[in-house]
Amino acid sequence: MRYFITGTAGFIGYHLARRLLEEGHEVVGFDGMTAYYNLKLKEARHAALAQFPAFTAHIGMLEDRAALARAATARPDVIVHLAAQAGVRYSLENPKAYLDSNLVGSWNVLELARELGVQHLLLASTSSIYGANPTIPFHETDRADEPLTFYAASKKGMEAMGHSYAHLYRLPTTAFRFFTVYGPWGRPDMALFKFVAAMLEDREIEIYGEGRMSRDFTYIDDLIEAILRLAARPPDEANRVEAPAGIDTLSHQGPYRVVNIGGGQPVGLIDFVETIETVLGRPARRLMLPMQKGDVPRTFASPDLLVALTGYRPATPLQEGVRAFVDWYLDARAYL
């Protein structure tokens, strides 16, 4: 099949594109190569993908609708929209970047999918949408109307736009919500990357919320497996989940569904740090700090809908995933 993926120079987009290429699919990638973090890492990801003859890269911004259209002249079967302005804390400094990329840019992707009549559009959303939800685990059917950051609000807006297009144009659309994805080739602004780099250089690591927070970590290979299984199941009444009752988010107004991708096994931040210490064989110098504005105390995915739809649940042990990241980092830091 032919896939059009936005964000192929990004962490998740790289892994998804590589898996598809290894399986013999054709991938057209689109990325803005923004300077939000180290461009050398983004360029290295695209260079690795360029080793596959079936990969074509296009550089452009999501806000540039004409650039998107030029990149998709070879009509794709599936569009996976991963590109976005990421980062919870950066949204406090530069909210307009989120407006431009996550709302205007996502609308451009919706328009592209409508014009091309793709078989399935998949939209990358986030667990940040749940805000400080007091009910755990987080179910897709929970209210998600109190985002704590503009990043979360922009993703919620993208989901709402996706539903309207699914209804108006019968465009099969799945929005999947990520839960703290980590692994090799990860983003430098994420905790694992920052902690490992600091510990290897004997610098302090900043632990917010005095370490009382917890996160539902998802290893990158688990995430990619879940995305591919969901890609093969466009929302349709024929695959509505009847049992367990009440868990399916398949809309009655159009072919649209929201699905968590998380294992439902949250880990405390201190336990996370101790796992890194074990893998590196050295203690961390810990700087305990209060909760930052926009942070949530915990994330905790219900994987029930994902399991019902695909038979799959992310389950890579944290220590195994952290070790894979450290092995990659030790090899990669020479060019980062």
Side-chain angles (χ1 to χ4, degrees):
M1 297 179 69
R2 181 179 292 124
Y3 287 77
F4 183 87
I5 303 176
T6 67
T8 42
F11 171 37
I12 297 168
Y14 162 75
H15 280 278
L16 177 61
R18 188 177 187 100
R19 171 77 180 271
L20 289 167
L21 291 164
E22 289 172 345
E23 293 183 358
H25 300 286
E26 181 180 344
V27 174
V28 176
F30 186 88
D31 201 287
M33 288 292 185
T34 60
Y36 173 63
Y37 61 80
N38 192 344
L39 278 174
K40 288 183 179 179
L41 179 55
K42 296 183 179 184
E43 290 165 352
R45 293 183 187 127
H46 256 192
L49 295 176
Q51 303 304 309
F52 294 86
F55 177 70
T56 306
H58 294 265
I59 307 303
M61 301 298 288
L62 291 172
E63 303 93 293
D64 187 345
R65 187 172 169 186
L68 271 172
R70 287 193 299 270
T73 51
R75 300 176 69 89
D77 303 298
V78 176
I79 293 178
V80 187
H81 178 38
L82 295 165
Q85 177 56 62
V88 169
R89 291 170 190 148
Y90 185 60
S91 68
L92 302 176
E93 302 172 26
N94 187 10
K96 188 176 185 301
Y98 296 76
L99 172 68
D100 293 340
S101 179
N102 300 0
L103 291 171
V104 175
S106 294
W107 173 71
N108 284 336
V109 173
L110 289 170
E111 278 287 279
L112 181 68
R114 176 185 66 82
E115 292 165 0
L116 296 175
V118 296
Q119 298 173 22
H120 196 180
L121 170 64
L122 295 104
L123 304 173
S125 191
T126 174
S127 61
S128 296
I129 278 178
Y130 292 107
N133 188 355
T135 304
I136 54 173
F138 300 167
H139 292 88
E140 296 89 342
T141 52
D142 290 347
R143 281 189 65 227
D145 300 325
E146 298 178 351
L148 300 185
T149 64
F150 191 62
Y151 167 64
S154 70
K155 286 294 191 176
K156 178 68 174 180
M158 180 198 68
E159 286 188 8
M161 291 191 297
H163 180 271
S164 69
Y165 268 61
H167 165 67
L168 292 169
Y169 307 112
R170 312 310 296 175
L171 176 62
T173 303
T174 299
F176 39 83
R177 294 172 178 168
F178 296 156
F179 285 74
T180 314
V181 186
Y182 74 102
W185 295 92
R187 283 185 8 226
D189 63 319
M190 298 295 285
L192 178 58
F193 201 118
K194 292 165 66 175
F195 286 0
V196 168
M199 290 168 66
L200 288 173
E201 297 170 9
D202 196 31
R203 292 185 284 108
E204 287 182 329
I205 64 171
E206 296 177 337
I207 301 177
Y208 293 99
E210 283 82 29
R212 291 191 294 270
M213 296 188 292
S214 62
R215 293 292 181 265
D216 201 340
F217 292 94
T218 309
Y219 186 60
I220 184 63
D221 289 355
D222 290 339
L223 179 79
I224 299 306
E225 180 66 28
I227 291 174
L228 292 178
R229 293 190 183 211
L230 288 172
R233 294 183 67 81
D236 186 271
E237 283 295 334
N239 58 37
R240 181 178 289 279
V241 175
E242 301 294 347
I247 68 167
D248 202 353
T249 56
L250 179 63
S251 173
H252 291 283
Q253 310 303 324
Y256 178 88
R257 179 184 271 130
V258 175
V259 185
N260 287 338
I261 300 183
Q265 296 181 315
V267 174
L269 185 52
I270 296 302
D271 293 330
F272 177 60
V273 171
E274 290 175 351
T275 299
I276 301 172
E277 290 175 328
T278 298
V279 171
L280 289 178
R282 66 178 66 193
R285 295 173 55 200
R286 308 179 187 189
L287 176 62
M288 310 303 281
L289 296 170
M291 184 91 74
Q292 285 199 315
K293 192 173 184 179
D295 269 347
V296 297
R298 62 179 175 262
T299 62
F300 188 164
S302 166
D304 294 347
L305 180 55
L306 176 66
V307 172
L309 287 167
T310 67
Y312 184 75
R313 174 177 180 155
T316 298
L318 181 65
Q319 184 162 331
E320 180 181 322
V322 169
R323 186 171 300 281
F325 172 82
V326 169
D327 290 344
W328 167 81
Y329 180 81
L330 291 174
D331 288 336
R333 60 179 172 171
Y335 60 80
L336 295 180

